[in-house]
Amino acid sequence: MQALTRRFFLIFQYESPHKNDDFQQVYSTLQTVEQNARAYFSQCGNNILQYKNPNEEIMEILYTYFNRNSCTTEPFVKRVERVVMDAMRVEGKTIGVDEVPNVPIKNFIAPRGIDFTNHAYTIMDGRYYMVLYIKCNGYPSKVRAGWLSTLINAGDGIDVDVFLKKENKSKVIDKVAQKIRLNRTKLKDMQDTSTDYEELTNSIQAGYYIKQGIANYNEDLFYMSVFITVSAKTKKELLWRKQQVTDTLKAVDIYVSEGKFQQEEAFKSVMPFLSVSPALDKKSKRNVLTSGAASSYMFTSFEMSDDTGVLLGVNQHNNSLCIVDLFNTKKNKNANLNLIGTSGAGKTFTMQLLALRMRMRGIQSFILAPIKGHEFKRACKKINGSFIRIAPGSPHCINVMEIRQTISPEMDLIDGTDYRENDSLLARKIQQLMIFFTLLIPDITNEEEQLLDEALIKTYKDFGITHKNKSLYVNGSNNEFKRMPVLGDLHKNLKGNPRTERLAIILSRFVTGSAQSFNRQTNVDLSNKYIVIDLSELKGKLLPVGMMIALDYVWDNIKLDRIKKKAIFIDEIWQLVGASSNSLAADFCLNIFKTIRGYGGAAIAATQDLSDFFGLEDGKYGRAIINNSQNKIILNLEHDEAQYVRDVLKLTRTEIHAITSFGRGEALVCSSANKIPIVIKASEEEHESITTDRAELEAILQKHKAKE
């Protein structure tokens, strides 16, 4: 089990300036302290919850504290019921008939047993505990801000208690001044070679530092004690964790005592009652000014935890859940994401996991899979998604010549605009078709482009379609488009002109050749909430061409409705924006990343070949796509690959080292200016649906065979 959450408790103690203060005075003072604390935390951006029954909440907290094993099998409510029933049976009363007797509070929260017989540890509720404390002289001369985070983020089985007691300023100044005078007197009678000379000198300097901080900088003096409680299920695990804590602190020049033969006093001291043993208080407390106390601020680790997001994994720093909502407009300028990783780092796994969890949140997900499309089929089938295979001989077809609706009647209504009067949809379609032909014919000349433009206009005119948008509609209808031409219709017009014969010969592959399955009307439906378009059977020039056809179709569908959330996943995007593509296709992709936010969507790109990703026009398009993506997930990269993104993502040497050392499933999540390392987590069912590991697939096969 991993610790996924951390809990912090602030306990305030009432210190009476007068003897025999009445309860109302004490209660009123503590209420004021509580309200001030709430106000301060609210100012720091925290959400403050108010429990309906604070007493019950405190009881449950105490119960959980003293019964860490039992509380997992017997919740507090069940414990209360059991204790009450036991009390009634003891008194011979009938449940549901007689009045419930008064039961001492301790009976509800007390553990089943506490064993103090061992000098080095305590056993409570079947769990082993060892209390350490930082020695009063065990601190370095200087500590960094947030130094306690080393302990706070240590993970499961580590509790940290920090005690702070503010001293009276006037009394402190008098004591410090007296101590300085005494030490200076001693110093006069001492030789500078004495072993105590340096100690006295340091003490005098420390005294002046405290005096100056209080008098000149309006700081307060506190006495601080830090206790560390290590717990585990077994003695062996306890000793291992204790050694880990000790070594970790020793590395930053902090030294602890194990408190042997004092474990009972130490254990009582860390109970949430602010009753530190005087003997331990003397050994552990040291003085700090306000600035020193502030450096012990513990809420230092950054967390990505959006209430409405999708779970990515577990924060490696503090074991908190990493939950990201790409569509949170308050935090993100856009919902775009880049997924980068070397082959075998878990890129496909992560992309599928993200898509599946988005689908669970009601976000429509489109996945373009140009390579290893079969790896997406198992998960798609499991959730009743739509798996579309675009390939020669496939029954599925997307008509590249089709002009499609890009604005729904609902958007007409919202915007109060008749989009039939807008810019020519035919002209826009011809521009997109030019991308298709430049990918298919990289060496197309300017003259051929002009002739192709004329042939396209003539082909659409044959179907009654002109630059007037109203010509697209059947009999003046508002929403039904005319039947569209296919590539075969264009091929006829190209073939009839000697100057476009070369274009016709190349296009014939899609009309009468091996790829003639593209020469049909669109017969695929994009209404499913989870759609995978498998392009992996397309080879050579056909692959970027097929990707462009699929991307164009999905993009038109996305633009239909700006209200609904949707996400388009483009795997191996380097095929369209890299060295093997051209500027027209790259511009089309880049435009999607720039504008998809306005359509309520997210563009998510995944790539593993960074040399190709940054290969077109000196990496112009690769960098632009990354810069237009608010969020990034970086999996393991080879050292040379990491250098490609170092400057673009503004990664430090430490982060580069981490990325190049990541194991499978480890990643660096970058969102806005925040970066956190995570371990990507999937449930057993999710893992079985999307894993591509050979050994794991074999295990799944054996599992299915056993069921037969």
Side-chain angles (χ1 to χ4, degrees), residues 218-428:
N218 198 32
E219 294 196 67
D220 289 303
L221 183 78
F222 297 83
Y223 280 109
M224 182 177 74
S225 299
V226 179
F227 289 80
I228 305 146
T229 306
V230 184
S231 64
K233 292 181 180 179
T234 64
K235 180 182 175 181
K236 184 178 179 181
E237 186 183 355
L238 178 75
L239 295 175
W240 178 82
R241 282 186 179 170
K242 183 266 295 184
Q243 193 60 46
Q244 290 292 106
V245 170
T246 304
D247 291 345
T248 300
L249 291 176
K250 194 179 290 184
V252 291
D253 203 25
I254 297 175
Y255 298 89
V256 298
S257 174
E258 297 181 16
K260 289 183 178 180
F261 300 99
Q262 293 180 301
Q263 282 298 303
E264 182 174 352
E265 290 84 355
F267 197 73
K268 291 177 181 178
S269 297
V270 298
M271 289 181 183
F273 306 126
L274 295 183
S275 181
V276 181
S277 162
L280 292 175
D281 182 57
K282 187 177 180 179
K283 294 179 180 179
S284 64
K285 72 176 183 181
R286 70 152 295 155
N287 52 36
V288 292
L289 293 174
T290 302
S291 54
S295 70
S296 304
Y297 187 75
M298 56 199 66
F299 308 104
T300 55
S301 58
F302 177 76
E303 294 184 2
M304 291 184 189
S305 187
D306 296 318
D307 293 339
T308 57
V310 296
L311 174 64
L312 287 180
V314 177
N315 189 329
Q316 287 187 322
H317 282 327
N318 57 29
N319 289 326
S320 64
L321 294 178
C322 180
I323 305 172
V324 177
D325 183 3
L326 300 178
F327 297 91
N328 187 340
T329 54
K330 292 181 179 179
K331 292 183 178 180
N332 300 319
K333 295 178 182 177
N334 59 59
N336 299 338
L337 182 144
N338 273 173
L339 180 59
I340 302 169
T342 193
S343 180
K347 177 172 58 63
T348 302
F349 185 99
T350 304
M351 187 167 66
Q352 286 197 79
L353 190 65
L354 186 59
L356 288 169
R357 289 175 176 174
M358 280 190 173
R359 170 64 185 89
M360 290 172 65
R361 302 261 341 156
I363 301 167
Q364 188 174 22
S365 298
F366 304 91
I367 300 176
L368 271 63
I371 299 174
K372 298 183 291 186
H374 63 278
E375 293 182 351
F376 297 83
K377 192 172 185 178
R378 193 169 356 116
C380 185
K381 184 180 178 182
K382 194 124 181 177
I383 64 168
N384 294 318
S386 178
F387 191 84
I388 300 168
R389 189 169 62 90
I390 304 297
S394 169
H396 302 131
C397 181
I398 299 172
N399 179 16
V400 68
M401 298 284 289
E402 181 182 26
I403 301 175
R404 291 176 282 268
Q405 292 270 16
T406 56
I407 300 292
S408 66
E410 291 80 8
M411 290 297 100
D412 277 342
L413 185 63
I414 291 173
D415 295 337
T417 305
D418 187 353
Y419 283 89
R420 292 179 300 171
E421 304 297 331
N422 275 15
D423 296 339
S424 170
L425 293 179
L426 174 60
R428 189 182 302 172

Side-chain angles (χ1 to χ4, degrees), residues 33-49:
V33 172
E34 180 193 1
Q35 292 303 320
N36 289 337
R38 286 178 177 274
Y40 291 140
F41 277 106
S42 294
Q43 290 172 12
C44 294
N46 299 287
N47 294 321
I48 309 298
L49 301 178

